[in-house]
């Protein structure tokens, strides 16, 4: 069987607002990404995923789409998009775009024109809560209510109306015709709500819930798969599926549905060999094609998640987790800035925060701005090279970003950036010559050892050094070894 490109791909998530600003308005844009393609190529990723760049009032950073077939002037033009795809393909990078089918912006023409049968309206609200806090219903002038599982500016579509189906099939074709290699499907377990909209006791992302993951949603992805398969070049889709069960996740990844779904269990697991092993076992038993992700634009950066009172631990663990993730069967999604070892920016001033989660929780929940701070490219300039000289970025960067900039790290063998480059290059050399299957080796408590043919990976999540498993050579480590022993918070790749 030919192995499809996405099976082992390393995909780099670009949060477009925060990657690189070519226009000099303090917000990242498509021409900015285009200028940085050589950096991404050198990093060694296979594909980029672009978060929404469509016309939007930005009530939720672009996840409130007002027009699904254009580019917001903040990010450039459709011409800029086409040029970016062209250049990316030329250097061998695939391009995945975000598609937002659960809801539109309240500025979308359908909502503005009052086409109510395309959204979820009710005479009386039920008890559902918005994921961003507060009730999931907003009242309109005539006294009826519309549903929004996210911000009030994001009305949920009514997928029981065939017009919504038709519209999205056409939107997919629009972007496929412009050469995109795949889609990242936002809130892929949303779309349908249980008939009768019953009250719920628990609104969290569960496999059995009237709010999420209705069986009808699979019909949508079967139709989408047909569209993807009707184009040449192995076009694909990856679903953002939050669920409490690997079995439920697997329902999205079937031969006639999505090729992949994000596996958030890995990102949610604590720093523990036992927890990591359980996630790996559950995932590989459930899905034919696994994905792994440590960070994205919605969660606290993993360097900060793994931090302890000892200031060095967060980064050591982040690098060890990366090396382990890159050794697992399947594909990996990286989030911009993790290759620089960026921490979560936790002390953003309240007036700078823009995530609706912060305002809706009246400041109780900091929200997601801390992982969205614009990238530092250079040591100098007001925005560390993110924008033009003297221009302030849309979120303030901490002074410590100078030290972490790509310029400062490039060429320094001890830097996180060079570690990522080495790991990705070594993975690329190996990945197609090792079996997909993974075999566990006996390991001391607190550590995990597994092997895939030529590659053995060892990670130590415990508190004492452990002896490395048998090997002929050490290929790569996330930190210094202690002779033949693997220190705590460290991982190693060995050849068997
Ligand atoms: C997804 C996105 C998130 C967005 C939400 C609503 O979870 O990743 O950023 O706020 O959907 O569209």
């Amino acid at each position: 069987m030919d192995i499809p490109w996405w099976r082992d791909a390393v995909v780099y998530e670009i949060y477009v607002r925060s990657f690189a600003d070519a226009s000099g308005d303090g917000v990242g844009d498509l021409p900015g990404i285009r200028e940085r393609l050589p950096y991404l190529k050198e990093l060694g990723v296979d594909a980029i995923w672009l978060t929404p760049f469509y016309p939007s009032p930005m009530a939720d950073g672009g996840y409130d789409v007002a027009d699904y077939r254009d580019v917001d002037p903040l990010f450039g033009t459709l011409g800029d998009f086409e040029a970016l795809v062209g250049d990316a393909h030329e250097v061998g990078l695939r391009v995945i775009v975000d598609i937002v089918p659960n809801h539109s912006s309240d500025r979308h023409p359908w909502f503005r024109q009052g086409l109510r049968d395309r959204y979820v309206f009710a005479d009386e609200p039920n008890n559902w809560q918005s994921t961003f806090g507060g009730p999931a219903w907003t009242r309109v002038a005539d006294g009826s209510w519309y549903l929004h599982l996210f911000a009030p500016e994001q009305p949920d579509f009514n997928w029981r109306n065939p017009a919504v189906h038709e519209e999205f099939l056409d939107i997919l074709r629009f972007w496929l015709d412009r050469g995109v290699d795949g889609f990242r499907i936002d809130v892929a377990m949303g779309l349908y709500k249980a008939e009768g909209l019953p009250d719920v006791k628990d609104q969290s992302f569960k496999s059995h819930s009237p709010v999420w993951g209705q069986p009808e949603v699979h019909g949508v992805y079967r139709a989408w798969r047909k569209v993807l398969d009707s184009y040449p070049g192995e076009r694909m889709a990856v679903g953002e599926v939050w669920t409490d069960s690997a079995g439920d996740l697997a329902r999205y990844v079937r031969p006639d549905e999505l090729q992949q779904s994000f596996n958030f269990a890995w990102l949610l697991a604590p720093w523990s060999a036992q927890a990591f092993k359980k996630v790996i076992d559950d995932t590989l038993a459930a899905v034919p094609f696994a994905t792994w992700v440590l960070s994205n634009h919605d969660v606290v950066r993993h360097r900060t998640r793994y931090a302890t009172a000892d200031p060095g631990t967060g980064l050591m663990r982040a690098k060890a987790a990366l090396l382990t993730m890159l050794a697992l069967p399947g594909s990996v999604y990286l989030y911009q800035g993790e290759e620089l070892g960026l921490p979560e920016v936790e002390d953003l001033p309240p007036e700078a925060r823009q995530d609706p989660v912060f305002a809706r929780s009246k400041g109780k929940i900091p929200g997601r701005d801390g992982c969205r701070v614009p990238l530092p490219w250079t040591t100098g300039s007001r925005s560390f090279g993110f924008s033009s000289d003297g221009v302030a970025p849309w979120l303030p960067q901490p002074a410590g970003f100078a030290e972490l900039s790509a310029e400062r790290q490039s060429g320094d063998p001890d830097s996180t950036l060079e570690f990522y480059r080495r790991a990705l290059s070594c993975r690329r050399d190996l990945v197609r010559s090792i079996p997909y299957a993974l075999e566990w080796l006996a390991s001391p408590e607190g550590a995990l050892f597994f092997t895939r043919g030529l590659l053995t990976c060892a990670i130590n999540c415990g508190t004492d050094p452990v002896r490395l498993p048998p090997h002929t050579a050490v290929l790569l480590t996330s930190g210094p070894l202690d002779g033949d022993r693997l220190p705590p918070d460290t991982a190693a790749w060995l050849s068997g």
Side-chain angles (χ1 to χ4, degrees):
M1 180 189 97
D2 280 349
I3 300 170
W5 70 269
W6 42 263
R7 193 195 74 170
D8 314 292
V10 176
V11 184
Y12 182 97
E13 176 187 357
I14 295 185
Y15 190 71
V16 178
R17 299 161 87 199
S18 302
F19 186 70
D21 169 25
S23 69
D25 62 359
V27 179
D29 47 40
L30 301 180
I33 300 169
R34 207 173 151 207
E35 285 173 9
R36 301 288 178 179
L37 287 174
Y39 170 84
L40 295 167
K41 190 64 194 162
E42 193 184 349
L43 180 60
V45 300
D46 303 300
I48 53 177
W49 146 31
L50 307 178
T51 57
F53 47 77
Y54 314 110
S56 163
M58 302 289 156
D60 182 22
Y63 282 95
D64 47 320
V65 180
D67 178 354
Y68 286 84
R69 296 180 186 78
D70 205 350
V71 173
D72 195 289
L74 198 56
F75 301 127
T77 62
L78 210 44
D80 291 329
F81 177 80
E82 286 169 357
L84 171 59
V85 173
D87 284 5
H89 284 168
E90 201 142 299
V91 296
L93 290 169
R94 310 255 184 175
V95 180
I96 294 174
V97 299
D98 222 306
I99 192 97
V100 189
N102 181 69
H103 46 263
S104 70
S105 159
D106 61 352
R107 302 285 83 206
H108 188 283
W110 286 2
F111 198 78
R112 287 170 65 157
Q113 287 159 23
L115 300 177
R116 291 180 171 221
D117 57 343
R118 297 178 189 192
Y119 292 91
V120 181
F121 272 84
D123 294 337
E124 289 297 330
N126 62 12
N127 76 347
W128 294 6
Q129 296 295 299
S130 152
T131 313
F132 291 165
W137 296 89
T138 291
R139 201 167 199 177
V140 293
D142 73 358
S144 61
W145 303 76
Y146 68 87
L147 177 72
H148 49 85
L149 291 178
F150 294 88
E153 297 87 352
Q154 293 168 296
D156 278 45
F157 281 118
N158 170 20
W159 273 86
R160 300 192 186 279
N161 182 337
V164 176
H165 262 281
E166 287 311 314
E167 176 68 357
F168 272 89
L169 292 175
D170 194 67
I171 293 165
L172 294 184
R173 288 193 199 96
F174 180 88
W175 294 104
L176 288 166
D177 289 340
R178 276 155 191 80
V180 306
D181 298 284
F183 297 96
R184 177 266 186 187
I185 305 169
D186 190 61
V187 196
M189 74 299 180
L191 281 59
Y192 282 85
K193 283 82 195 173
E195 294 273 21
L197 304 171
D199 280 349
V200 287
K201 284 206 191 69
D202 173 3
Q203 168 104 25
S204 57
F205 303 125
K206 296 259 185 254
S207 43
H208 299 288
S209 156
V211 188
W212 311 108
Q214 301 307 297
E216 295 92 327
V217 79
H218 297 286
V220 174
Y221 301 135
R222 278 195 283 273
W224 289 19
R225 179 61 178 264
K226 287 202 180 100
V227 174
L228 293 169
D229 286 348
S230 72
Y231 282 78
E234 300 179 320
R235 314 290 175 109
M236 55 79 75
V238 52
E240 186 207 18
V241 181
W242 291 92
T243 175
D244 58 346
S245 114
D248 186 42
L249 196 69
R251 280 192 266 281
Y252 293 80
V253 189
R254 294 192 271 207
D256 61 345
E257 285 195 43
L258 307 181
Q259 285 89 345
Q260 296 180 334
S261 59
F262 290 136
N263 176 20
F264 292 122
W266 177 247
L267 159 165
L268 295 169
W271 181 257
S272 137
Q274 225 181 345
F276 286 161
K277 180 163 190 301
K278 180 165 167 34
V279 171
I280 295 168
D281 280 338
D282 288 354
T283 304
L284 296 179
V287 296
F289 301 112
T291 66
W292 309 98
V293 41
L294 282 166
S295 279
N296 65 31
H297 67 284
D298 290 328
V299 300
V300 172
R301 284 185 178 275
H302 61 278
R303 171 180 178 168
T304 303
R305 288 203 315 271
Y306 291 146
T308 64
D310 178 349
T313 309
L315 184 57
M316 279 180 71
R317 290 183 174 180
K319 289 164 76 176
L322 184 266
L323 211 53
T324 308
M325 173 165 81
L326 289 177
L328 293 171
S331 105
V332 162
Y333 284 77
L334 305 178
Y335 176 50
Q336 68 179 37
E338 66 170 85
E339 77 280 16
L340 303 176
L342 295 190
E344 183 82 359
V345 181
E346 290 175 306
D347 55 357
L348 285 169
E351 62 282 6
R353 292 201 178 263
Q354 304 209 9
D355 184 357
V357 171
F358 180 73
R360 282 179 72 78
S361 70
K362 306 213 166 35
K364 282 199 216 59
I365 307 174
R368 302 162 294 177
D369 293 313
C371 65
R372 299 175 175 179
V373 174
L375 292 194
W377 291 98
T378 61
T379 44
S381 102
R382 168 127 194 224
S383 63
F384 303 119
F386 165 73
S387 189
S388 321
D389 269 354
V391 174
W394 70 277
L395 278 175
Q397 300 151 303
F401 266 28
E403 279 306 302
L404 295 170
S405 68
E407 178 185 65
R408 177 61 58 89
Q409 294 193 42
S410 208
D412 171 0
D414 295 330
S415 70
T416 308
L417 177 59
E418 291 298 345
F419 165 71
Y420 265 71
R421 287 177 177 160
R422 280 195 303 275
L424 290 170
S425 144
C426 188
R427 183 183 197 273
R428 211 178 25 253
D429 291 344
L430 277 171
V431 77
R432 294 275 158 133
S433 47
I434 58 177
Y436 185 82
L438 160 159
E439 256 178 71
W440 293 108
L441 303 175
S443 52
E445 203 180 316
L448 285 182
F449 299 164
F450 62 85
T451 179
R452 291 174 64 198
L454 301 171
L455 175 69
T456 294
C457 178
I459 180 170
N460 186 358
C461 304
T463 47
D464 298 313
V466 298
R467 194 161 294 288
L468 287 170
H471 59 277
T472 50
V474 176
L475 300 174
L476 198 63
T477 66
S478 66
L481 293 179
D482 171 5
D484 201 25
R485 296 186 323 153
L486 184 66
D489 303 322
T490 309
W493 282 3
L494 312 164
S495 64

